[in-house]
């Protein structure tokens, strides 16, 4: 696996490891192509574990949120935000292939959920306080609800 994530098996391009997703080279076909794909999947198991451990040990600054709602780590989209219970509680949808499984997958998800929680609390803390306020009533409560639901954006 080179620095660009390209997976080479005996000098032949087998595909690309993009974050936790292996994108197989579609031009490899036949028996030879299948053998290359099988060998690359075996070799990737260790790299996926290394990446999961590295992400699990990373600090919050290593992860960022794109304008399109994707979580970026090492210049790669590894998850995206999807609608959750409320605007302040989105869910994560991990971008990972079948090779990321079991405790390593759980580690990645837990790390991203922790990052998301810290990020939301840091960026949207005033809205979180407003959403939990018990002393807001009447018309003010309606305005507070609209602010929280629209993440303080005016339409």
């Amino acid at each position: 696996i080179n620095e660009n994530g390209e997976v080479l098996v005996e000098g032949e391009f087998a595909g690309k490891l993009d974050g936790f997703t292996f994108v197989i080279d579609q031009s490899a076909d036949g028996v030879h192509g299948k053998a290359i794909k099988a060998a690359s999947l075996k070799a990737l198991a260790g790299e996926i574990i290394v990446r999961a451990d590295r992400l699990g040990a990373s600090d919050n600054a290593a992860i960022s949120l794109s304008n399109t709602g994707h979580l970026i780590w090492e210049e790669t989209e590894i998850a995206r935000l999807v609608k959750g219970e409320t605007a302040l509680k989105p869910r994560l949808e991990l971008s990972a292939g079948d090779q990321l499984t079991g405790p390593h997958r759980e580690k990645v998800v837990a790390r991203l959920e922790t990052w998301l929680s810290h990020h939301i609390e840091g960026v949207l803390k005033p809205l979180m306080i407003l959403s939990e306020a018990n002393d807001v009533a009447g018309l003010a409560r309606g305005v507070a609800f609209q602010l929280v639901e629209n993440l303080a954006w005016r339409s």
Side-chain angles (χ1 to χ4, degrees):
I1 303 170
N2 67 19
E3 65 278 353
N4 296 326
E6 295 174 338
V7 178
L8 304 172
V9 176
E10 296 182 9
E12 295 213 27
F13 179 72
K16 184 172 181 177
L17 184 58
D18 192 21
F20 296 103
T21 304
F22 179 56
V23 181
I24 297 173
D25 179 23
Q26 296 301 318
S27 66
D29 57 359
V31 175
H32 183 66
K34 287 182 181 180
I36 289 174
K37 290 174 189 176
S40 60
L41 289 175
K42 282 184 182 179
L44 287 175
E47 178 63 20
I48 296 285
I49 290 169
V50 167
R51 288 183 181 201
D53 289 342
R54 199 166 62 234
L55 175 62
S58 68
D59 62 7
N60 283 341
I63 304 167
S64 63
L65 181 64
S66 75
N67 291 337
T68 58
H70 289 88
L71 276 69
I72 310 296
W73 175 68
E74 295 187 351
E75 300 178 21
T76 302
E77 295 177 359
I78 58 170
R80 69 183 184 109
L81 298 181
V82 295
K83 185 178 179 176
E85 293 177 34
T86 68
L88 293 175
K89 293 182 182 177
R91 289 185 310 104
L92 285 170
E93 189 173 273
L94 187 61
S95 300
D98 295 338
Q99 295 80 27
L100 182 61
T101 60
H104 302 292
R105 184 180 196 90
E106 292 169 12
K107 179 188 287 189
V108 167
V109 169
R111 177 66 189 100
L112 295 177
E113 286 176 346
T114 299
W115 178 88
L116 181 59
S117 175
H118 284 105
H119 185 73
I120 289 172
E121 186 175 314
V123 174
L124 300 174
K125 188 168 186 133
L127 289 178
M128 292 179 72
I129 292 169
L130 188 58
S131 74
E132 297 167 359
N134 293 326
D135 59 346
V136 180
L139 187 56
R141 185 149 189 80
V143 171
F145 176 80
Q146 290 298 319
L147 283 169
V148 170
E149 285 301 304
N150 293 306
L151 300 176
W153 284 91
R154 288 180 55 196
S155 48

